[in-house]
Amino acid sequence: MSLESTKTNYPALYTLVTVFFFWGFIAAGNSIFIPFCKNFFSLDQFQSQLIDFAFYTAYYIGALLLFAMGNSRGKDVVGTWGHKKSIVYGLLFSALGAGAMIIAVEASVYAGMLVGLFIVALGFSLQQTAANPFAFLLGDPKTGTSRVNLGGGINSFGTTIGPIIVALALFGTTASVSDEQIKHLELGKVIFLYVCVGLLFIGSAAMFYFSKKVPSGISDEPMEKANKALTTLVVMTILLAACFTPIFKTYQLDTTAYTPEQLLDLNKYRMNWLFGALVVVVGGILFSYSSAKKKSEGWGAMQYPQLVLGMLAIFVYVGVEVAIGSNLGELLKLPEFGSHQSSDIAPYISMYWGSLMIGRWAGAISVFNLKKSQKNLALVIVPLIAFGVILGVNILSEKDMKPLYYYVVCVLLQVVATFLSKDKPARTLMIFGFFGLSAMLIGLFSTGTVAIYAFLAGGLACSIMWPAIFSLSIIGLGKYTSQGSAFLIMMILGGGIIPPIQGKISDIIGIHQSYIVAVVCFAYLTLFAVLVKGILKKQNIDVDSIEADGAH
């Protein structure tokens, strides 16, 4: 696609960023749905995490289908349809999912809600595949990063208010609702919420379709084929289905007469299959790289070690980002964490997802041409403004934010980490990975406010990771860059695998101890930063010259 001018197409850009908002709003809102559904449908922690499984697995399936179609045609499907039409199709598909959610909520069928969320996220997968590159096409390529970061900032605002709006729909205003009372709640407001969401999807699709300011974004660029990589991904998908099927079957058993020892054995059996699913993903990716090293033909981008390790890093990053927030509601029920009811956790969930906004707003500062003194001042002020926005929107919704006022200390630590990072992706990832690892260890070995703040700080640690990992993973791929990006998008699958694993570990050893999963994830992300720096140096790539971009 070529534009008549390199000037930014602001009407098209403002239209585009609406979809970024939807991704954040729905994804973060799920963190409120999870503890609600656990109580309303009498689920265990693993079953409640199936909301994440359905939502993030859809991203993987959608990206895999697009890759398979492109591979067979030898052309990028989204480019052939045009980015504009692709986003319209994605929005309409998400609207269909909202309709399925309305029917499922009306019938009080949990499995139906999972199907609805799966369809919504399948639409998101198409939107995300089209929207990120589209933002670059709406003006001068040199300022493309700032447009993507704007989308990321709007996305983060959606993650901040999503939990608040969903909590209002589920529980009403300020009155606390006990977990026992949740089982008897009327779900009319949830239906109304998804009617509104569905109409917004349709309205946004119409806005895109009929807008003369939004270019079509059609591209005829050829797509490098990777038949062996595709075959491996399909086999991985089949094996993942084979791992989850026995787990789902055990939930059809009547376990009311089971002794505690029998229930423990059953949960261990389920855990073994979940670890099997993890082995399938990690093993499949490493097998692809090992095979590509011996003979690169048919493997495409899989022959590059930075991409393969980056795929695992995206898998782990999305997994830990989602798992921390999704299990937080259950953690806050513990007496040592405040004995909070599910209706009272929205401020904490909002602060967790808002922490990603704090970091992303700070990360966006580097794209503006500021003097050094102005930039340094902005790196301090912008995160504090973002923190104030999170407090403000919660206070306006009549939430008590006093317990979170001193979280500003964690925000200031994030500011220090940003200064130490010096806008260098590998260094940034290393520092924030260690920041996240330290926070999770503090949270694991403490209780009360200190532990809550530590776990919330996981959001600050995750905030800058997507662009850093993405940039380090696709640098040096040449003609396989687009294909490598597609593989990375598929690894959003981590959000569907890691939270259920933590959920099942929680069923066995307790919710607090289950955060060992987050410790392991941050440890790998820190290791990836070290390894990828060495790999790129061997390829004579100047790591410090890489510009971090991309929005999640």
Side-chain angles (χ1 to χ4, degrees), residues 180-212:
E180 191 59 37
Q181 289 174 314
I182 285 175
K183 295 178 182 178
H184 308 291
L185 285 178
E186 295 292 328
L187 296 182
K189 287 183 181 178
V190 180
I191 294 171
F192 177 72
L193 172 67
Y194 268 90
V195 167
C196 292
V197 167
L199 290 173
L200 284 171
F201 285 144
I202 294 169
S204 296
M207 188 166 59
F208 260 93
Y209 186 78
F210 292 109
S211 175
K212 294 178 181 178

PDB file of all heavy atoms in Angstrom, residues 180-212:
ATOM      1  N   GLU A 180     -20.952 -16.231  48.928  1.00  0.00           N
ATOM      2  CA  GLU A 180     -22.124 -17.104  48.983  1.00  0.00           C
ATOM      3  C   GLU A 180     -23.312 -16.451  48.279  1.00  0.00           C
ATOM      4  O   GLU A 180     -24.103 -17.118  47.596  1.00  0.00           O
ATOM      5  CB  GLU A 180     -22.468 -17.410  50.445  1.00  0.00           C
ATOM      6  CG  GLU A 180     -23.504 -18.513  50.613  1.00  0.00           C
ATOM      7  CD  GLU A 180     -23.078 -19.841  50.005  1.00  0.00           C
ATOM      8  OE1 GLU A 180     -21.886 -20.194  50.074  1.00  0.00           O
ATOM      9  OE2 GLU A 180     -23.961 -20.513  49.423  1.00  0.00           O
ATOM     10  N   GLN A 181     -23.439 -15.127  48.412  1.00  0.00           N
ATOM     11  CA  GLN A 181     -24.537 -14.396  47.769  1.00  0.00           C
ATOM     12  C   GLN A 181     -24.395 -14.362  46.248  1.00  0.00           C
ATOM     13  O   GLN A 181     -25.388 -14.206  45.536  1.00  0.00           O
ATOM     14  CB  GLN A 181     -24.590 -12.960  48.303  1.00  0.00           C
ATOM     15  CG  GLN A 181     -25.078 -12.846  49.745  1.00  0.00           C
ATOM     16  CD  GLN A 181     -24.961 -11.422  50.273  1.00  0.00           C
ATOM     17  OE1 GLN A 181     -23.935 -10.774  50.088  1.00  0.00           O
ATOM     18  NE2 GLN A 181     -26.012 -10.936  50.922  1.00  0.00           N
ATOM     19  N   ILE A 182     -23.166 -14.493  45.754  1.00  0.00           N
ATOM     20  CA  ILE A 182     -22.922 -14.434  44.309  1.00  0.00           C
ATOM     21  C   ILE A 182     -23.754 -15.482  43.563  1.00  0.00           C
ATOM     22  O   ILE A 182     -24.245 -15.239  42.466  1.00  0.00           O
ATOM     23  CB  ILE A 182     -21.411 -14.619  44.006  1.00  0.00           C
ATOM     24  CG1 ILE A 182     -20.651 -13.341  44.367  1.00  0.00           C
ATOM     25  CG2 ILE A 182     -21.173 -14.976  42.535  1.00  0.00           C
ATOM     26  CD1 ILE A 182     -19.149 -13.445  44.216  1.00  0.00           C
ATOM     27  N   LYS A 183     -23.939 -16.651  44.200  1.00  0.00           N
ATOM     28  CA  LYS A 183     -24.677 -17.741  43.560  1.00  0.00           C
ATOM     29  C   LYS A 183     -26.129 -17.364  43.252  1.00  0.00           C
ATOM     30  O   LYS A 183     -26.778 -18.006  42.419  1.00  0.00           O
ATOM     31  CB  LYS A 183     -24.650 -18.990  44.447  1.00  0.00           C
ATOM     32  CG  LYS A 183     -23.257 -19.572  44.633  1.00  0.00           C
ATOM     33  CD  LYS A 183     -23.262 -20.771  45.564  1.00  0.00           C
ATOM     34  CE  LYS A 183     -21.856 -21.307  45.768  1.00  0.00           C
ATOM     35  NZ  LYS A 183     -21.810 -22.451  46.696  1.00  0.00           N
ATOM     36  N   HIS A 184     -26.618 -16.336  43.924  1.00  0.00           N
ATOM     37  CA  HIS A 184     -28.028 -15.960  43.771  1.00  0.00           C
ATOM     38  C   HIS A 184     -28.204 -14.629  43.037  1.00  0.00           C
ATOM     39  O   HIS A 184     -29.311 -14.094  42.986  1.00  0.00           O
ATOM     40  CB  HIS A 184     -28.696 -15.887  45.151  1.00  0.00           C
ATOM     41  CG  HIS A 184     -28.493 -17.110  45.988  1.00  0.00           C
ATOM     42  ND1 HIS A 184     -29.073 -18.323  45.676  1.00  0.00           N
ATOM     43  CD2 HIS A 184     -27.723 -17.314  47.094  1.00  0.00           C
ATOM     44  CE1 HIS A 184     -28.706 -19.227  46.573  1.00  0.00           C
ATOM     45  NE2 HIS A 184     -27.883 -18.641  47.440  1.00  0.00           N
ATOM     46  N   LEU A 185     -27.127 -14.114  42.469  1.00  0.00           N
ATOM     47  CA  LEU A 185     -27.208 -12.833  41.756  1.00  0.00           C
ATOM     48  C   LEU A 185     -27.954 -12.973  40.433  1.00  0.00           C
ATOM     49  O   LEU A 185     -27.878 -14.016  39.770  1.00  0.00           O
ATOM     50  CB  LEU A 185     -25.799 -12.290  41.476  1.00  0.00           C
ATOM     51  CG  LEU A 185     -25.016 -11.682  42.653  1.00  0.00           C
ATOM     52  CD1 LEU A 185     -23.638 -11.261  42.170  1.00  0.00           C
ATOM     53  CD2 LEU A 185     -25.750 -10.485  43.231  1.00  0.00           C
ATOM     54  N   GLU A 186     -28.649 -11.934  40.050  1.00  0.00           N
ATOM     55  CA  GLU A 186     -29.261 -11.863  38.730  1.00  0.00           C
ATOM     56  C   GLU A 186     -28.207 -11.354  37.738  1.00  0.00           C
ATOM     57  O   GLU A 186     -27.414 -10.465  38.055  1.00  0.00           O
ATOM     58  CB  GLU A 186     -30.459 -10.910  38.748  1.00  0.00           C
ATOM     59  CG  GLU A 186     -31.616 -11.377  39.616  1.00  0.00           C
ATOM     60  CD  GLU A 186     -32.305 -12.609  39.049  1.00  0.00           C
ATOM     61  OE1 GLU A 186     -32.340 -12.761  37.812  1.00  0.00           O
ATOM     62  OE2 GLU A 186     -32.800 -13.423  39.845  1.00  0.00           O
ATOM     63  N   LEU A 187     -28.198 -11.924  36.528  1.00  0.00           N
ATOM     64  CA  LEU A 187     -27.148 -11.591  35.564  1.00  0.00           C
ATOM     65  C   LEU A 187     -27.621 -10.641  34.464  1.00  0.00           C
ATOM     66  O   LEU A 187     -27.001 -10.538  33.414  1.00  0.00           O
ATOM     67  CB  LEU A 187     -26.610 -12.885  34.937  1.00  0.00           C
ATOM     68  CG  LEU A 187     -25.924 -13.844  35.913  1.00  0.00           C
ATOM     69  CD1 LEU A 187     -25.390 -15.062  35.169  1.00  0.00           C
ATOM     70  CD2 LEU A 187     -24.795 -13.163  36.662  1.00  0.00           C
ATOM     71  N   GLY A 188     -28.720  -9.947  34.724  1.00  0.00           N
ATOM     72  CA  GLY A 188     -29.271  -9.024  33.721  1.00  0.00           C
ATOM     73  C   GLY A 188     -28.285  -7.957  33.292  1.00  0.00           C
ATOM     74  O   GLY A 188     -28.193  -7.607  32.106  1.00  0.00           O
ATOM     75  N   LYS A 189     -27.489  -7.433  34.274  1.00  0.00           N
ATOM     76  CA  LYS A 189     -26.529  -6.380  33.939  1.00  0.00           C
ATOM     77  C   LYS A 189     -25.395  -6.896  33.066  1.00  0.00           C
ATOM     78  O   LYS A 189     -24.841  -6.162  32.256  1.00  0.00           O
ATOM     79  CB  LYS A 189     -25.970  -5.765  35.220  1.00  0.00           C
ATOM     80  CG  LYS A 189     -26.962  -4.881  35.964  1.00  0.00           C
ATOM     81  CD  LYS A 189     -26.324  -4.239  37.186  1.00  0.00           C
ATOM     82  CE  LYS A 189     -27.313  -3.372  37.935  1.00  0.00           C
ATOM     83  NZ  LYS A 189     -26.694  -2.796  39.159  1.00  0.00           N
ATOM     84  N   VAL A 190     -25.031  -8.169  33.241  1.00  0.00           N
ATOM     85  CA  VAL A 190     -23.982  -8.766  32.402  1.00  0.00           C
ATOM     86  C   VAL A 190     -24.481  -8.873  30.963  1.00  0.00           C
ATOM     87  O   VAL A 190     -23.738  -8.609  30.009  1.00  0.00           O
ATOM     88  CB  VAL A 190     -23.562 -10.156  32.932  1.00  0.00           C
ATOM     89  CG1 VAL A 190     -22.476 -10.767  32.049  1.00  0.00           C
ATOM     90  CG2 VAL A 190     -23.072 -10.054  34.367  1.00  0.00           C
ATOM     91  N   ILE A 191     -25.732  -9.264  30.818  1.00  0.00           N
ATOM     92  CA  ILE A 191     -26.336  -9.327  29.480  1.00  0.00           C
ATOM     93  C   ILE A 191     -26.332  -7.936  28.851  1.00  0.00           C
ATOM     94  O   ILE A 191     -25.955  -7.769  27.689  1.00  0.00           O
ATOM     95  CB  ILE A 191     -27.777  -9.893  29.561  1.00  0.00           C
ATOM     96  CG1 ILE A 191     -27.742 -11.358  30.010  1.00  0.00           C
ATOM     97  CG2 ILE A 191     -28.491  -9.758  28.212  1.00  0.00           C
ATOM     98  CD1 ILE A 191     -29.094 -11.941  30.337  1.00  0.00           C
ATOM     99  N   PHE A 192     -26.729  -6.934  29.659  1.00  0.00           N
ATOM    100  CA  PHE A 192     -26.726  -5.551  29.165  1.00  0.00           C
ATOM    101  C   PHE A 192     -25.311  -5.121  28.763  1.00  0.00           C
ATOM    102  O   PHE A 192     -25.129  -4.460  27.737  1.00  0.00           O
ATOM    103  CB  PHE A 192     -27.277  -4.615  30.254  1.00  0.00           C
ATOM    104  CG  PHE A 192     -27.260  -3.164  29.874  1.00  0.00           C
ATOM    105  CD1 PHE A 192     -28.152  -2.666  28.924  1.00  0.00           C
ATOM    106  CD2 PHE A 192     -26.343  -2.293  30.443  1.00  0.00           C
ATOM    107  CE1 PHE A 192     -28.135  -1.325  28.554  1.00  0.00           C
ATOM    108  CE2 PHE A 192     -26.314  -0.944  30.085  1.00  0.00           C
ATOM    109  CZ  PHE A 192     -27.214  -0.463  29.137  1.00  0.00           C
ATOM    110  N   LEU A 193     -24.306  -5.503  29.582  1.00  0.00           N
ATOM    111  CA  LEU A 193     -22.906  -5.164  29.283  1.00  0.00           C
ATOM    112  C   LEU A 193     -22.504  -5.717  27.917  1.00  0.00           C
ATOM    113  O   LEU A 193     -21.925  -5.000  27.090  1.00  0.00           O
ATOM    114  CB  LEU A 193     -21.986  -5.723  30.370  1.00  0.00           C
ATOM    115  CG  LEU A 193     -20.474  -5.610  30.100  1.00  0.00           C
ATOM    116  CD1 LEU A 193     -20.029  -4.153  30.102  1.00  0.00           C
ATOM    117  CD2 LEU A 193     -19.683  -6.406  31.144  1.00  0.00           C
ATOM    118  N   TYR A 194     -22.819  -6.990  27.667  1.00  0.00           N
ATOM    119  CA  TYR A 194     -22.406  -7.596  26.403  1.00  0.00           C
ATOM    120  C   TYR A 194     -23.272  -7.162  25.222  1.00  0.00           C
ATOM    121  O   TYR A 194     -22.822  -7.219  24.078  1.00  0.00           O
ATOM    122  CB  TYR A 194     -22.323  -9.128  26.534  1.00  0.00           C
ATOM    123  CG  TYR A 194     -20.923  -9.539  26.913  1.00  0.00           C
ATOM    124  CD1 TYR A 194     -20.547  -9.652  28.243  1.00  0.00           C
ATOM    125  CD2 TYR A 194     -19.957  -9.748  25.938  1.00  0.00           C
ATOM    126  CE1 TYR A 194     -19.248  -9.974  28.596  1.00  0.00           C
ATOM    127  CE2 TYR A 194     -18.662 -10.071  26.275  1.00  0.00           C
ATOM    128  CZ  TYR A 194     -18.307 -10.189  27.602  1.00  0.00           C
ATOM    129  OH  TYR A 194     -17.022 -10.493  27.930  1.00  0.00           O
ATOM    130  N   VAL A 195     -24.489  -6.715  25.493  1.00  0.00           N
ATOM    131  CA  VAL A 195     -25.278  -6.075  24.431  1.00  0.00           C
ATOM    132  C   VAL A 195     -24.573  -4.799  23.997  1.00  0.00           C
ATOM    133  O   VAL A 195     -24.386  -4.530  22.793  1.00  0.00           O
ATOM    134  CB  VAL A 195     -26.721  -5.764  24.905  1.00  0.00           C
ATOM    135  CG1 VAL A 195     -27.408  -4.823  23.926  1.00  0.00           C
ATOM    136  CG2 VAL A 195     -27.533  -7.056  25.034  1.00  0.00           C
ATOM    137  N   CYS A 196     -24.123  -4.026  24.986  1.00  0.00           N
ATOM    138  CA  CYS A 196     -23.390  -2.776  24.688  1.00  0.00           C
ATOM    139  C   CYS A 196     -22.088  -3.066  23.960  1.00  0.00           C
ATOM    140  O   CYS A 196     -21.751  -2.391  22.974  1.00  0.00           O
ATOM    141  CB  CYS A 196     -23.103  -2.007  25.977  1.00  0.00           C
ATOM    142  SG  CYS A 196     -24.576  -1.338  26.769  1.00  0.00           S
ATOM    143  N   VAL A 197     -21.346  -4.070  24.444  1.00  0.00           N
ATOM    144  CA  VAL A 197     -20.064  -4.441  23.808  1.00  0.00           C
ATOM    145  C   VAL A 197     -20.293  -4.883  22.371  1.00  0.00           C
ATOM    146  O   VAL A 197     -19.571  -4.476  21.452  1.00  0.00           O
ATOM    147  CB  VAL A 197     -19.359  -5.552  24.625  1.00  0.00           C
ATOM    148  CG1 VAL A 197     -18.211  -6.164  23.831  1.00  0.00           C
ATOM    149  CG2 VAL A 197     -18.844  -4.995  25.949  1.00  0.00           C
ATOM    150  N   GLY A 198     -21.310  -5.729  22.165  1.00  0.00           N
ATOM    151  CA  GLY A 198     -21.620  -6.197  20.810  1.00  0.00           C
ATOM    152  C   GLY A 198     -21.979  -5.057  19.878  1.00  0.00           C
ATOM    153  O   GLY A 198     -21.528  -5.010  18.726  1.00  0.00           O
ATOM    154  N   LEU A 199     -22.779  -4.115  20.380  1.00  0.00           N
ATOM    155  CA  LEU A 199     -23.165  -2.948  19.567  1.00  0.00           C
ATOM    156  C   LEU A 199     -21.942  -2.075  19.263  1.00  0.00           C
ATOM    157  O   LEU A 199     -21.837  -1.510  18.163  1.00  0.00           O
ATOM    158  CB  LEU A 199     -24.235  -2.135  20.287  1.00  0.00           C
ATOM    159  CG  LEU A 199     -25.625  -2.794  20.385  1.00  0.00           C
ATOM    160  CD1 LEU A 199     -26.550  -1.957  21.261  1.00  0.00           C
ATOM    161  CD2 LEU A 199     -26.234  -2.997  18.994  1.00  0.00           C
ATOM    162  N   LEU A 200     -21.028  -1.962  20.228  1.00  0.00           N
ATOM    163  CA  LEU A 200     -19.799  -1.199  19.993  1.00  0.00           C
ATOM    164  C   LEU A 200     -18.934  -1.853  18.924  1.00  0.00           C
ATOM    165  O   LEU A 200     -18.339  -1.170  18.087  1.00  0.00           O
ATOM    166  CB  LEU A 200     -19.010  -1.057  21.299  1.00  0.00           C
ATOM    167  CG  LEU A 200     -19.553  -0.033  22.305  1.00  0.00           C
ATOM    168  CD1 LEU A 200     -18.820  -0.156  23.637  1.00  0.00           C
ATOM    169  CD2 LEU A 200     -19.403   1.380  21.761  1.00  0.00           C
ATOM    170  N   PHE A 201     -18.875  -3.189  18.946  1.00  0.00           N
ATOM    171  CA  PHE A 201     -18.136  -3.908  17.898  1.00  0.00           C
ATOM    172  C   PHE A 201     -18.738  -3.606  16.523  1.00  0.00           C
ATOM    173  O   PHE A 201     -18.021  -3.296  15.566  1.00  0.00           O
ATOM    174  CB  PHE A 201     -18.177  -5.428  18.143  1.00  0.00           C
ATOM    175  CG  PHE A 201     -17.294  -5.908  19.255  1.00  0.00           C
ATOM    176  CD1 PHE A 201     -17.697  -6.963  20.073  1.00  0.00           C
ATOM    177  CD2 PHE A 201     -16.062  -5.331  19.485  1.00  0.00           C
ATOM    178  CE1 PHE A 201     -16.887  -7.417  21.099  1.00  0.00           C
ATOM    179  CE2 PHE A 201     -15.232  -5.782  20.509  1.00  0.00           C
ATOM    180  CZ  PHE A 201     -15.650  -6.822  21.322  1.00  0.00           C
ATOM    181  N   ILE A 202     -20.065  -3.714  16.440  1.00  0.00           N
ATOM    182  CA  ILE A 202     -20.749  -3.471  15.167  1.00  0.00           C
ATOM    183  C   ILE A 202     -20.591  -2.014  14.743  1.00  0.00           C
ATOM    184  O   ILE A 202     -20.328  -1.714  13.571  1.00  0.00           O
ATOM    185  CB  ILE A 202     -22.250  -3.844  15.288  1.00  0.00           C
ATOM    186  CG1 ILE A 202     -22.392  -5.360  15.499  1.00  0.00           C
ATOM    187  CG2 ILE A 202     -23.016  -3.414  14.039  1.00  0.00           C
ATOM    188  CD1 ILE A 202     -23.796  -5.800  15.882  1.00  0.00           C
ATOM    189  N   GLY A 203     -20.730  -1.091  15.706  1.00  0.00           N
ATOM    190  CA  GLY A 203     -20.570   0.332  15.405  1.00  0.00           C
ATOM    191  C   GLY A 203     -19.174   0.659  14.906  1.00  0.00           C
ATOM    192  O   GLY A 203     -18.997   1.423  13.942  1.00  0.00           O
ATOM    193  N   SER A 204     -18.150   0.052  15.535  1.00  0.00           N
ATOM    194  CA  SER A 204     -16.764   0.283  15.112  1.00  0.00           C
ATOM    195  C   SER A 204     -16.518  -0.297  13.729  1.00  0.00           C
ATOM    196  O   SER A 204     -15.811   0.302  12.907  1.00  0.00           O
ATOM    197  CB  SER A 204     -15.789  -0.342  16.122  1.00  0.00           C
ATOM    198  OG  SER A 204     -15.903   0.286  17.370  1.00  0.00           O
ATOM    199  N   ALA A 205     -17.110  -1.471  13.469  1.00  0.00           N
ATOM    200  CA  ALA A 205     -16.964  -2.085  12.141  1.00  0.00           C
ATOM    201  C   ALA A 205     -17.579  -1.181  11.073  1.00  0.00           C
ATOM    202  O   ALA A 205     -16.988  -0.983   9.997  1.00  0.00           O
ATOM    203  CB  ALA A 205     -17.632  -3.466  12.131  1.00  0.00           C
ATOM    204  N   ALA A 206     -18.755  -0.617  11.376  1.00  0.00           N
ATOM    205  CA  ALA A 206     -19.414   0.294  10.427  1.00  0.00           C
ATOM    206  C   ALA A 206     -18.586   1.558  10.224  1.00  0.00           C
ATOM    207  O   ALA A 206     -18.452   2.055   9.096  1.00  0.00           O
ATOM    208  CB  ALA A 206     -20.806   0.651  10.942  1.00  0.00           C
ATOM    209  N   MET A 207     -18.008   2.058  11.318  1.00  0.00           N
ATOM    210  CA  MET A 207     -17.176   3.257  11.245  1.00  0.00           C
ATOM    211  C   MET A 207     -15.972   3.022  10.331  1.00  0.00           C
ATOM    212  O   MET A 207     -15.623   3.857   9.508  1.00  0.00           O
ATOM    213  CB  MET A 207     -16.722   3.632  12.660  1.00  0.00           C
ATOM    214  CG  MET A 207     -16.008   4.961  12.772  1.00  0.00           C
ATOM    215  SD  MET A 207     -15.875   5.498  14.506  1.00  0.00           S
ATOM    216  CE  MET A 207     -14.954   4.148  15.248  1.00  0.00           C
ATOM    217  N   PHE A 208     -15.342   1.853  10.475  1.00  0.00           N
ATOM    218  CA  PHE A 208     -14.209   1.496   9.617  1.00  0.00           C
ATOM    219  C   PHE A 208     -14.651   1.346   8.164  1.00  0.00           C
ATOM    220  O   PHE A 208     -14.037   1.880   7.243  1.00  0.00           O
ATOM    221  CB  PHE A 208     -13.603   0.165  10.093  1.00  0.00           C
ATOM    222  CG  PHE A 208     -12.379   0.335  10.923  1.00  0.00           C
ATOM    223  CD1 PHE A 208     -12.478   0.406  12.301  1.00  0.00           C
ATOM    224  CD2 PHE A 208     -11.128   0.440  10.347  1.00  0.00           C
ATOM    225  CE1 PHE A 208     -11.352   0.567  13.089  1.00  0.00           C
ATOM    226  CE2 PHE A 208     -10.000   0.605  11.116  1.00  0.00           C
ATOM    227  CZ  PHE A 208     -10.103   0.662  12.490  1.00  0.00           C
ATOM    228  N   TYR A 209     -15.730   0.605   7.973  1.00  0.00           N
ATOM    229  CA  TYR A 209     -16.159   0.249   6.617  1.00  0.00           C
ATOM    230  C   TYR A 209     -16.567   1.468   5.797  1.00  0.00           C
ATOM    231  O   TYR A 209     -16.236   1.590   4.623  1.00  0.00           O
ATOM    232  CB  TYR A 209     -17.321  -0.742   6.698  1.00  0.00           C
ATOM    233  CG  TYR A 209     -17.751  -1.276   5.345  1.00  0.00           C
ATOM    234  CD1 TYR A 209     -17.019  -2.264   4.695  1.00  0.00           C
ATOM    235  CD2 TYR A 209     -18.897  -0.774   4.720  1.00  0.00           C
ATOM    236  CE1 TYR A 209     -17.405  -2.749   3.452  1.00  0.00           C
ATOM    237  CE2 TYR A 209     -19.294  -1.238   3.482  1.00  0.00           C
ATOM    238  CZ  TYR A 209     -18.545  -2.236   2.852  1.00  0.00           C
ATOM    239  OH  TYR A 209     -18.927  -2.697   1.622  1.00  0.00           O
ATOM    240  N   PHE A 210     -17.304   2.374   6.433  1.00  0.00           N
ATOM    241  CA  PHE A 210     -17.847   3.520   5.697  1.00  0.00           C
ATOM    242  C   PHE A 210     -16.932   4.750   5.705  1.00  0.00           C
ATOM    243  O   PHE A 210     -17.193   5.711   4.984  1.00  0.00           O
ATOM    244  CB  PHE A 210     -19.223   3.902   6.253  1.00  0.00           C
ATOM    245  CG  PHE A 210     -20.284   2.861   5.992  1.00  0.00           C
ATOM    246  CD1 PHE A 210     -20.797   2.090   7.028  1.00  0.00           C
ATOM    247  CD2 PHE A 210     -20.749   2.637   4.699  1.00  0.00           C
ATOM    248  CE1 PHE A 210     -21.762   1.124   6.785  1.00  0.00           C
ATOM    249  CE2 PHE A 210     -21.715   1.676   4.450  1.00  0.00           C
ATOM    250  CZ  PHE A 210     -22.224   0.915   5.489  1.00  0.00           C
ATOM    251  N   SER A 211     -15.881   4.711   6.523  1.00  0.00           N
ATOM    252  CA  SER A 211     -14.986   5.867   6.580  1.00  0.00           C
ATOM    253  C   SER A 211     -14.140   5.989   5.316  1.00  0.00           C
ATOM    254  O   SER A 211     -13.445   5.058   4.927  1.00  0.00           O
ATOM    255  CB  SER A 211     -14.060   5.770   7.791  1.00  0.00           C
ATOM    256  OG  SER A 211     -13.121   6.828   7.768  1.00  0.00           O
ATOM    257  N   LYS A 212     -14.225   7.147   4.676  1.00  0.00           N
ATOM    258  CA  LYS A 212     -13.424   7.399   3.477  1.00  0.00           C
ATOM    259  C   LYS A 212     -11.998   7.814   3.845  1.00  0.00           C
ATOM    260  O   LYS A 212     -11.117   7.823   2.995  1.00  0.00           O
ATOM    261  CB  LYS A 212     -14.088   8.491   2.624  1.00  0.00           C
ATOM    262  CG  LYS A 212     -15.427   8.054   2.049  1.00  0.00           C
ATOM    263  CD  LYS A 212     -16.078   9.172   1.244  1.00  0.00           C
ATOM    264  CE  LYS A 212     -17.437   8.721   0.687  1.00  0.00           C
ATOM    265  NZ  LYS A 212     -18.114   9.797  -0.067  1.00  0.00           N
TER     266      LYS A 212
END
